[in-house]
Amino acid sequence: MRTYPLSPETDGIRRSPRSRVSRIAARAALTLTLVAGVTGGVVAPAQAANPYERGPAPTESSVTATRGYFDTDTDSVSSLVSGFGGGTIFYPSTTREGTFGGVVIAPGYTASSSTMEWMGHRLASQGFVVFTIDTNTRYDQPNSRGRQLEAALDYLADDSDVSNRVDGDRMAVMGHSMGGGGTLAAAEDRPELRAAIPLTPWHTQKSWDDVEVPTMIIGAENDSIASVRSHSIPFYESLDSNLESAYMELDGASHFAPNMSNTAIAKYSISWLKRFVDEDERYEQFLCPPPSTGWLSDFSDYRDTCPHLT
């Protein structure tokens, strides 16, 4: 079984985030360097090769495509497994580029993993091992779903038939509705995770300032179940100001937008996962500067801590 660092609640120690002043200064320095490099004033030093990059350089068409660079396959996980309700693993069929980051996705209240399976091949073909899970019961509450996400992370990295393809040190969580609330709970409990993406999340807990995992919250403007004013926006605004985070609100969308193929959700989820799970700065271009909002935009609101420094 993989051994994880103790959570802040159990070891009494919490990593000190960068101060806001130093963060702003670092962002300003990075922005000036990038601008100077473009104008020819400064030549930035060559960066060391990133061992986690998977696949060719991305383009707008590659991050919006329904299938990416990698061919994919699946593996079914029995509901008899301990800690969660089984599910389906989607993974790149090649091993020539080494291991891949892992992503576990939980469904919403009363829903099954089938509601999230459209993401399976789509994310896996971009270079991730993706596990869409079923919960123990369809009525499990967000914190229970969070614990089940954590159990599935351990299973994927240590006990699954594709564990040899997964880098257990580069893991992420996603989830819809109560699964999105569970995503926040899992991220709060496991600061070693690389990314979290709650999708139209629902949770009675409104403050998530203890989360240390780079988090992109995706809300829906016309959500009548997990209203952005009561859920997604308060969740986002409660995150520590030093945390790499983003809030994306889908224009005119409902609570169930994440349950069907959605190019905007896919593009920005892929970019967030690539940027923080794979540390792949080639995807920064799709996140920063943030996209426009309002008329003729996919988004009614979008906020991001650009440029990203982690």
Side-chain angles (χ1 to χ4, degrees):
M1 181 65 67
R2 182 170 303 279
T3 301
Y4 290 94
L6 292 173
S7 69
E9 289 76 12
T10 55
D11 65 7
I13 300 172
R14 184 173 176 79
R15 297 196 304 273
S16 298
R18 280 190 293 265
S19 72
R20 182 167 178 77
V21 173
S22 65
R23 182 184 176 86
I24 292 172
R27 287 191 187 285
L30 177 60
T31 301
L32 288 173
T33 299
L34 292 173
V35 171
V38 170
T39 59
V42 175
V43 177
Q47 298 297 311
N50 176 6
Y52 305 133
E53 285 183 5
R54 300 291 182 265
T59 64
E60 179 70 21
S61 61
S62 75
V63 295
T64 57
T66 55
R67 290 294 182 96
Y69 173 76
F70 296 97
D71 292 332
T72 58
D73 209 338
T74 62
D75 183 61
S76 295
V77 178
S78 169
S79 61
L80 299 178
V81 70
S82 177
F84 57 100
T88 304
I89 301 173
F90 302 79
Y91 60 94
S93 54
T94 182
T95 58
R96 67 179 180 271
E97 294 197 28
T99 56
F100 299 91
V103 185
V104 179
I105 307 176
Y109 187 66
T110 76
S112 70
S113 62
S114 64
T115 60
M116 307 307 297
E117 283 186 355
W118 71 269
M119 290 186 175
H121 287 296
R122 193 160 187 167
L123 297 184
S125 67
Q126 297 286 346
F128 298 100
V129 178
V130 181
F131 193 4
T132 58
I133 67 167
D134 284 305
T135 46
N136 289 326
T137 80
R138 295 194 177 196
Y139 308 102
D140 293 327
Q141 296 297 299
N143 286 340
S144 174
R145 290 169 192 265
R147 291 189 294 272
Q148 292 176 63
L149 280 166
E150 294 184 64
L153 287 166
D154 294 340
Y155 177 87
L156 182 62
D158 298 325
D159 301 315
S160 72
D161 290 342
V162 297
S163 60
N164 64 322
R165 299 172 186 263
V166 183
D167 182 347
D169 292 325
R170 295 189 299 113
M171 305 291 275
V173 285
M174 298 178 67
H176 173 236
S177 191
M178 284 195 180
T183 296
L184 286 164
E188 183 178 60
D189 193 50
R190 291 199 177 182
E192 70 275 11
L193 292 174
R194 297 300 185 92
I197 307 178
L199 305 164
T200 59
W202 189 101
H203 204 297
T204 56
Q205 178 178 328
K206 304 305 177 185
S207 179
W208 298 96
D209 59 327
D210 284 341
V211 171
E212 297 181 14
V213 179
T215 299
M216 170 179 274
I217 296 176
I218 299 179
E221 183 184 24
N222 293 339
D223 191 334
S224 60
I225 295 174
S227 163
V228 294
R229 291 181 178 82
S230 299
H231 295 271
S232 292
I233 291 175
F235 297 164
Y236 177 75
E237 292 180 342
S238 76
L239 296 172
D240 192 291
S241 61
N242 293 295
L243 181 70
E244 299 289 8
S245 59
Y247 172 62
M248 183 175 94
E249 185 177 292
L250 300 169
D251 184 62
S254 78
H255 182 71
F256 299 102
N259 290 160
M260 60 196 74
S261 182
N262 185 297
T263 298
I265 291 175
K267 173 185 176 179
Y268 289 92
S269 295
I270 290 165
S271 300
W272 195 259
L273 294 170
K274 284 288 190 178
R275 182 62 183 82
F276 294 105
V277 176
D278 289 355
E279 301 175 13
D280 193 336
E281 296 183 4
R282 299 177 299 174
Y283 288 81
E284 182 80 352
Q285 63 182 301
F286 305 112
L287 300 169
C288 299
S292 61
T293 60
W295 183 250
L296 297 180
S297 170
D298 290 329
F299 312 112
S300 48
D301 191 357
Y302 195 104
R303 316 176 200 183
D304 199 310
T305 53
C306 290
H308 302 117
L309 304 178
T310 301

